[in-house]
Amino acid sequence: MPSRLPPLNPLRAFEAAARHGSVSLAAQELNVTHGAISHQIKALEASLDVKLFERSAQRLKLTAQGALLLPSISNAFAEIAAATAMVKRPSTSGELSVTCVPALLSLWIIPRLNQFIEQYPDIRLTLTASNDADHLRSPGIDICILYGDGNWADCWTRLWSNLRLFPVVSPTLLNSRPLRSLRDLRDHAMLHADDGREWNTWLAAADASDIQRGPQHFMSDARLSTEAALHGQGVALGDTITASDLIAKGELIVPFDLTVPANDAFYVACRNEVRAAPIVKVFIDWLFASLAADSIAEPQTAARRLIRRRNGKTDPGTLISKQVPLRGSKRRTKS
């Protein structure tokens, strides 16, 4: 049998007094008298046979035992409040606030969002383009879709997709300024969605780190670098998630058959206390189901080149024009 829990009212009095550092403020919050709070705290101390506060004229100070007890009590009350709100809210209606990596939101989720809206017409969405993990601690945000390592403390996290990176370019630019070999990159601007590490990784995988490079343009996230590539401003790094529709429509072309794994991945995350909310669950389930059902068209273009290796080395000046499938791809985006 589980051990008997202390009475609820003394626990509420203790949590409020500890949070405020004041019996008077705790009494105001709980709408009871100063004496009632003091009585409840004494009753809890007697029940536990420990002293929870060092009392002074200015402010209450937790003892070591009180400091040990407070986090669990605070979390328990927060979960009770969240569960109560869930019970009162219909399972598939209400407001849902989601933050998402900008490129993934603009280029993958928004084009498919009508599927979710048609299935759950009573859910009102607030979508924010952001890759800030601090939103996980915001009570106004329900779900975060993040690019990172997945190591965010005190929250529920699930891997959504690993990613691979590869160059993409507009057909208009390619027609006016060909990419017949890796050396032709010197005639093109490189569009960066980070500080340059991703392009360095791709060039190293192609044994082309030392090739002459053209102009370098740095942008705050991959949505901007992808849009710049669409407008013929240079060559960006894309992936088969955020760039898939653009490649399928012929708006972007994959010039080389070489992909590299991204440093991080896409994750879905939320606070533990909201994970079980039906309105949160249906959106997360839709995200994973949509990814599983997504049919990613292979880029079909004669502009793609297979990087040929000689004696285990890549010859940056010799590329073979060949129709071959793009090796498994999925990717990053930053904000």
Side-chain angles (χ1 to χ4, degrees), residues 56-194:
S56 67
Q58 289 78 28
R59 185 176 176 86
L60 290 177
K61 181 180 178 182
L62 286 167
T63 63
Q65 292 89 344
L68 181 64
L69 182 62
L70 179 60
S72 296
I73 300 301
S74 297
N75 290 338
F77 279 122
E79 290 186 13
I80 291 170
T84 302
M86 282 185 262
V87 168
K88 292 180 178 179
R89 182 168 63 179
S91 61
T92 56
S93 67
E95 301 199 7
L96 186 68
S97 181
V98 180
T99 68
C100 180
V101 178
L104 180 62
L105 181 59
S106 296
L107 301 173
W108 197 90
I109 290 180
I110 293 295
R112 293 160 178 78
L113 195 60
N114 65 304
Q115 301 165 12
F116 179 82
I117 293 171
E118 289 172 3
Q119 188 174 358
Y120 301 101
D122 295 326
I123 294 179
R124 297 181 299 280
L125 290 168
T126 298
L127 302 175
T128 302
S130 174
N131 193 40
D132 187 351
D134 286 344
H135 286 305
L136 286 168
R137 294 189 287 273
S138 172
I141 301 297
D142 297 307
I143 300 169
C144 296
I145 306 168
L146 299 166
Y147 174 76
D149 59 13
N151 294 323
W152 301 294
D154 301 324
C155 67
W156 177 88
T157 304
R158 181 179 171 188
L159 174 68
W160 188 69
S161 177
N162 288 304
L163 312 170
R164 296 186 71 84
L165 313 180
F166 50 89
V168 291
V169 63
S170 76
T172 302
L173 181 61
L174 205 61
N175 288 335
S176 64
R177 202 176 303 160
L179 270 173
R180 297 187 182 92
S181 75
L182 286 170
R183 288 191 180 123
D184 288 336
L185 282 171
R186 65 190 173 190
D187 300 323
H188 292 266
M190 283 185 172
L191 306 173
H192 299 274
D194 66 351

Side-chain angles (χ1 to χ4, degrees), residues 147 162-168 193-194 197-203 205 222 236-240 242 254 256-264 266 326-334:
Y147 174 76
N162 288 304
L163 312 170
R164 296 186 71 84
L165 313 180
F166 50 89
V168 291
D194 66 351
R197 282 176 290 180
E198 289 179 342
W199 261 114
N200 289 339
T201 298
W202 189 87
L203 289 169
L237 287 177
D239 68 83
T240 54
T242 60
V254 182
F256 305 117
D257 184 63
L258 175 66
T259 73
V260 298
N263 291 330
D264 291 316
F266 286 138
L326 183 66
R327 294 192 291 275
S329 322
K330 289 180 181 178
R331 107 150 164 162
R332 98 317 182 193
T333 322
K334 295 194 182 78

